[in-house]
Coordinates of all heavy atoms in Angstrom, one line a residue:
N428 N -19.0 34.9 46.5 CA -20.0 34.5 47.5 C -20.2 33.0 47.6 O -21.2 32.5 48.1 CB -21.4 35.1 47.1 CG -21.4 36.6 47.1 OD1 -20.9 37.2 48.1 ND2 -21.9 37.3 46.1
V449 N -13.8 32.5 37.7 CA -13.1 33.5 36.8 C -12.4 34.5 37.6 O -13.0 35.2 38.5 CB -14.2 34.2 35.9 CG1 -13.6 35.2 35.0 CG2 -14.9 33.2 35.1
V473 N -15.0 20.4 53.2 CA -16.1 19.6 52.6 C -15.5 18.2 52.2 O -14.5 18.2 51.5 CB -16.7 20.3 51.4 CG1 -17.7 19.3 50.7 CG2 -17.3 21.6 51.8
A550 N 2.6 25.7 37.3 CA 1.5 24.9 37.9 C 1.9 23.4 38.0 O 1.7 22.8 39.1 CB 0.2 25.0 37.1
A674 N 7.4 15.2 31.0 CA 6.5 14.7 32.1 C 6.3 13.2 32.0 O 6.3 12.6 33.1 CB 5.1 15.4 31.9

Side-chain angles (χ1 to χ4, degrees):
N428 297 315
V449 180
V473 177

